[in-house]
Amino acid sequence: QVQLVESGGGLVQAGDSLRLSCAESGGTFSSLVIGWFRQAPGKEREPVAAISSSGMFRYLADSVKGRFTISRDNAKNTAYLEIDSLKPEDTAVYHCAAGMRVGSDDVFTRGKYPYWGQGTQVTVSS
């Protein structure tokens, strides 16, 4: 059974940077598409980034382009989300998700990911 554990969140100031990690166990990491989603208080969970199983293809939501970078290290069974120039509106719980059969048209579709982590809280103060 695939298990995902996020880490790296915290309380930061506007303009700071963070690197979130998503560690996978129990599956074949190199076969999994990884997505990052975030959920702010009172809002729907929204996609922010995704990366193909090989790492060759990377996808970013329009709202985060230029500040977010997604990457992965298949040798370490870990995916990363780097966030630069953090803004108060980035405050949310960040979740990583994994799936084997996630086509390029579906990388931002929550229902295509059967495996989810518990999330890591990112709070940005102004």
PDB file of all heavy atoms in Angstrom, residues 8-29:
ATOM      1  N   GLY A   8       8.209  19.705   5.881  1.00  0.00           N
ATOM      2  CA  GLY A   8       8.844  20.932   5.429  1.00  0.00           C
ATOM      3  C   GLY A   8       8.018  22.190   5.590  1.00  0.00           C
ATOM      4  O   GLY A   8       8.511  23.295   5.342  1.00  0.00           O
ATOM      5  N   GLY A   9       6.780  22.045   6.020  1.00  0.00           N
ATOM      6  CA  GLY A   9       5.954  23.226   6.223  1.00  0.00           C
ATOM      7  C   GLY A   9       6.352  23.962   7.490  1.00  0.00           C
ATOM      8  O   GLY A   9       7.230  23.533   8.234  1.00  0.00           O
ATOM      9  N   GLY A  10       5.703  25.089   7.719  1.00  0.00           N
ATOM     10  CA  GLY A  10       5.986  25.853   8.919  1.00  0.00           C
ATOM     11  C   GLY A  10       5.432  27.252   8.833  1.00  0.00           C
ATOM     12  O   GLY A  10       4.707  27.598   7.893  1.00  0.00           O
ATOM     13  N   LEU A  11       5.791  28.058   9.831  1.00  0.00           N
ATOM     14  CA  LEU A  11       5.393  29.466   9.873  1.00  0.00           C
ATOM     15  C   LEU A  11       6.545  30.301   9.326  1.00  0.00           C
ATOM     16  O   LEU A  11       7.664  30.237   9.871  1.00  0.00           O
ATOM     17  CB  LEU A  11       5.082  29.876  11.310  1.00  0.00           C
ATOM     18  CG  LEU A  11       4.789  31.360  11.560  1.00  0.00           C
ATOM     19  CD1 LEU A  11       3.566  31.803  10.780  1.00  0.00           C
ATOM     20  CD2 LEU A  11       4.612  31.611  13.052  1.00  0.00           C
ATOM     21  N   VAL A  12       6.282  31.028   8.273  1.00  0.00           N
ATOM     22  CA  VAL A  12       7.317  31.827   7.624  1.00  0.00           C
ATOM     23  C   VAL A  12       6.791  33.233   7.356  1.00  0.00           C
ATOM     24  O   VAL A  12       5.594  33.489   7.485  1.00  0.00           O
ATOM     25  CB  VAL A  12       7.765  31.178   6.293  1.00  0.00           C
ATOM     26  CG1 VAL A  12       8.405  29.813   6.553  1.00  0.00           C
ATOM     27  CG2 VAL A  12       6.598  31.057   5.336  1.00  0.00           C
ATOM     28  N   GLN A  13       7.697  34.094   6.950  1.00  0.00           N
ATOM     29  CA  GLN A  13       7.295  35.457   6.616  1.00  0.00           C
ATOM     30  C   GLN A  13       7.160  35.615   5.105  1.00  0.00           C
ATOM     31  O   GLN A  13       7.794  34.874   4.333  1.00  0.00           O
ATOM     32  CB  GLN A  13       8.332  36.447   7.160  1.00  0.00           C
ATOM     33  CG  GLN A  13       8.369  36.508   8.674  1.00  0.00           C
ATOM     34  CD  GLN A  13       9.166  37.690   9.192  1.00  0.00           C
ATOM     35  OE1 GLN A  13      10.048  38.203   8.505  1.00  0.00           O
ATOM     36  NE2 GLN A  13       8.857  38.143  10.401  1.00  0.00           N
ATOM     37  N   ALA A  14       6.365  36.569   4.712  1.00  0.00           N
ATOM     38  CA  ALA A  14       6.214  36.871   3.291  1.00  0.00           C
ATOM     39  C   ALA A  14       7.584  37.148   2.679  1.00  0.00           C
ATOM     40  O   ALA A  14       8.412  37.844   3.285  1.00  0.00           O
ATOM     41  CB  ALA A  14       5.292  38.062   3.102  1.00  0.00           C
ATOM     42  N   GLY A  15       7.821  36.554   1.503  1.00  0.00           N
ATOM     43  CA  GLY A  15       9.090  36.714   0.824  1.00  0.00           C
ATOM     44  C   GLY A  15      10.063  35.573   1.064  1.00  0.00           C
ATOM     45  O   GLY A  15      11.050  35.440   0.327  1.00  0.00           O
ATOM     46  N   ASP A  16       9.807  34.780   2.087  1.00  0.00           N
ATOM     47  CA  ASP A  16      10.671  33.630   2.378  1.00  0.00           C
ATOM     48  C   ASP A  16      10.458  32.526   1.350  1.00  0.00           C
ATOM     49  O   ASP A  16       9.543  32.583   0.511  1.00  0.00           O
ATOM     50  CB  ASP A  16      10.376  33.090   3.770  1.00  0.00           C
ATOM     51  CG  ASP A  16      10.910  33.974   4.881  1.00  0.00           C
ATOM     52  OD1 ASP A  16      11.683  34.910   4.577  1.00  0.00           O
ATOM     53  OD2 ASP A  16      10.554  33.731   6.052  1.00  0.00           O
ATOM     54  N   SER A  17      11.285  31.508   1.465  1.00  0.00           N
ATOM     55  CA  SER A  17      11.173  30.329   0.607  1.00  0.00           C
ATOM     56  C   SER A  17      11.041  29.084   1.474  1.00  0.00           C
ATOM     57  O   SER A  17      11.498  29.054   2.632  1.00  0.00           O
ATOM     58  CB  SER A  17      12.406  30.191  -0.294  1.00  0.00           C
ATOM     59  OG  SER A  17      12.528  31.291  -1.162  1.00  0.00           O
ATOM     60  N   LEU A  18      10.422  28.068   0.915  1.00  0.00           N
ATOM     61  CA  LEU A  18      10.275  26.777   1.587  1.00  0.00           C
ATOM     62  C   LEU A  18      10.472  25.660   0.581  1.00  0.00           C
ATOM     63  O   LEU A  18      10.192  25.830  -0.612  1.00  0.00           O
ATOM     64  CB  LEU A  18       8.873  26.625   2.185  1.00  0.00           C
ATOM     65  CG  LEU A  18       8.544  27.176   3.563  1.00  0.00           C
ATOM     66  CD1 LEU A  18       7.087  26.883   3.892  1.00  0.00           C
ATOM     67  CD2 LEU A  18       9.457  26.602   4.629  1.00  0.00           C
ATOM     68  N   ARG A  19      10.922  24.518   1.074  1.00  0.00           N
ATOM     69  CA  ARG A  19      10.925  23.324   0.253  1.00  0.00           C
ATOM     70  C   ARG A  19      10.145  22.238   0.985  1.00  0.00           C
ATOM     71  O   ARG A  19      10.535  21.803   2.075  1.00  0.00           O
ATOM     72  CB  ARG A  19      12.335  22.817  -0.051  1.00  0.00           C
ATOM     73  CG  ARG A  19      12.308  21.666  -1.072  1.00  0.00           C
ATOM     74  CD  ARG A  19      13.687  21.214  -1.496  1.00  0.00           C
ATOM     75  NE  ARG A  19      14.310  20.347  -0.520  1.00  0.00           N
ATOM     76  CZ  ARG A  19      15.311  19.501  -0.798  1.00  0.00           C
ATOM     77  NH1 ARG A  19      15.783  19.437  -2.038  1.00  0.00           N
ATOM     78  NH2 ARG A  19      15.840  18.767   0.141  1.00  0.00           N
ATOM     79  N   LEU A  20       9.064  21.828   0.390  1.00  0.00           N
ATOM     80  CA  LEU A  20       8.247  20.761   0.940  1.00  0.00           C
ATOM     81  C   LEU A  20       8.706  19.433   0.344  1.00  0.00           C
ATOM     82  O   LEU A  20       9.104  19.372  -0.819  1.00  0.00           O
ATOM     83  CB  LEU A  20       6.772  20.989   0.622  1.00  0.00           C
ATOM     84  CG  LEU A  20       6.208  22.364   0.993  1.00  0.00           C
ATOM     85  CD1 LEU A  20       4.717  22.414   0.661  1.00  0.00           C
ATOM     86  CD2 LEU A  20       6.445  22.689   2.448  1.00  0.00           C
ATOM     87  N   SER A  21       8.641  18.388   1.161  1.00  0.00           N
ATOM     88  CA  SER A  21       9.011  17.055   0.715  1.00  0.00           C
ATOM     89  C   SER A  21       7.823  16.116   0.825  1.00  0.00           C
ATOM     90  O   SER A  21       6.969  16.278   1.698  1.00  0.00           O
ATOM     91  CB  SER A  21      10.168  16.503   1.557  1.00  0.00           C
ATOM     92  OG  SER A  21      11.315  17.309   1.434  1.00  0.00           O
ATOM     93  N   CYS A  22       7.815  15.141  -0.055  1.00  0.00           N
ATOM     94  CA  CYS A  22       6.792  14.095  -0.050  1.00  0.00           C
ATOM     95  C   CYS A  22       7.516  12.766  -0.169  1.00  0.00           C
ATOM     96  O   CYS A  22       8.034  12.434  -1.245  1.00  0.00           O
ATOM     97  CB  CYS A  22       5.840  14.308  -1.224  1.00  0.00           C
ATOM     98  SG  CYS A  22       4.659  12.971  -1.511  1.00  0.00           S
ATOM     99  N   ALA A  23       7.579  12.031   0.937  1.00  0.00           N
ATOM    100  CA  ALA A  23       8.286  10.760   0.965  1.00  0.00           C
ATOM    101  C   ALA A  23       7.299   9.615   0.766  1.00  0.00           C
ATOM    102  O   ALA A  23       6.279   9.550   1.451  1.00  0.00           O
ATOM    103  CB  ALA A  23       9.031  10.602   2.284  1.00  0.00           C
ATOM    104  N   GLU A  24       7.618   8.723  -0.149  1.00  0.00           N
ATOM    105  CA  GLU A  24       6.732   7.609  -0.477  1.00  0.00           C
ATOM    106  C   GLU A  24       7.313   6.289   0.011  1.00  0.00           C
ATOM    107  O   GLU A  24       8.534   6.083  -0.018  1.00  0.00           O
ATOM    108  CB  GLU A  24       6.511   7.546  -1.990  1.00  0.00           C
ATOM    109  CG  GLU A  24       5.530   6.483  -2.459  1.00  0.00           C
ATOM    110  CD  GLU A  24       6.187   5.130  -2.717  1.00  0.00           C
ATOM    111  OE1 GLU A  24       7.418   5.091  -2.897  1.00  0.00           O
ATOM    112  OE2 GLU A  24       5.456   4.115  -2.709  1.00  0.00           O
ATOM    113  N   SER A  25       6.437   5.403   0.454  1.00  0.00           N
ATOM    114  CA  SER A  25       6.840   4.053   0.815  1.00  0.00           C
ATOM    115  C   SER A  25       5.712   3.097   0.457  1.00  0.00           C
ATOM    116  O   SER A  25       4.558   3.509   0.333  1.00  0.00           O
ATOM    117  CB  SER A  25       7.164   3.962   2.311  1.00  0.00           C
ATOM    118  OG  SER A  25       6.024   4.264   3.089  1.00  0.00           O
ATOM    119  N   GLY A  26       6.085   1.837   0.279  1.00  0.00           N
ATOM    120  CA  GLY A  26       5.093   0.798   0.048  1.00  0.00           C
ATOM    121  C   GLY A  26       4.742   0.557  -1.406  1.00  0.00           C
ATOM    122  O   GLY A  26       3.997  -0.379  -1.703  1.00  0.00           O
ATOM    123  N   GLY A  27       5.236   1.384  -2.289  1.00  0.00           N
ATOM    124  CA  GLY A  27       4.919   1.212  -3.705  1.00  0.00           C
ATOM    125  C   GLY A  27       6.160   1.285  -4.559  1.00  0.00           C
ATOM    126  O   GLY A  27       7.279   1.137  -4.056  1.00  0.00           O
ATOM    127  N   THR A  28       5.974   1.510  -5.824  1.00  0.00           N
ATOM    128  CA  THR A  28       7.084   1.693  -6.753  1.00  0.00           C
ATOM    129  C   THR A  28       7.094   3.157  -7.161  1.00  0.00           C
ATOM    130  O   THR A  28       6.383   3.569  -8.087  1.00  0.00           O
ATOM    131  CB  THR A  28       6.939   0.785  -7.982  1.00  0.00           C
ATOM    132  OG1 THR A  28       6.804  -0.572  -7.545  1.00  0.00           O
ATOM    133  CG2 THR A  28       8.158   0.918  -8.881  1.00  0.00           C
ATOM    134  N   PHE A  29       7.896   3.932  -6.458  1.00  0.00           N
ATOM    135  CA  PHE A  29       7.849   5.380  -6.604  1.00  0.00           C
ATOM    136  C   PHE A  29       8.065   5.811  -8.051  1.00  0.00           C
ATOM    137  O   PHE A  29       7.390   6.710  -8.536  1.00  0.00           O
ATOM    138  CB  PHE A  29       8.895   6.024  -5.698  1.00  0.00           C
ATOM    139  CG  PHE A  29       8.842   7.523  -5.690  1.00  0.00           C
ATOM    140  CD1 PHE A  29       7.787   8.190  -5.086  1.00  0.00           C
ATOM    141  CD2 PHE A  29       9.853   8.276  -6.276  1.00  0.00           C
ATOM    142  CE1 PHE A  29       7.730   9.578  -5.069  1.00  0.00           C
ATOM    143  CE2 PHE A  29       9.813   9.658  -6.268  1.00  0.00           C
ATOM    144  CZ  PHE A  29       8.747  10.318  -5.664  1.00  0.00           C
TER     145      PHE A  29
END
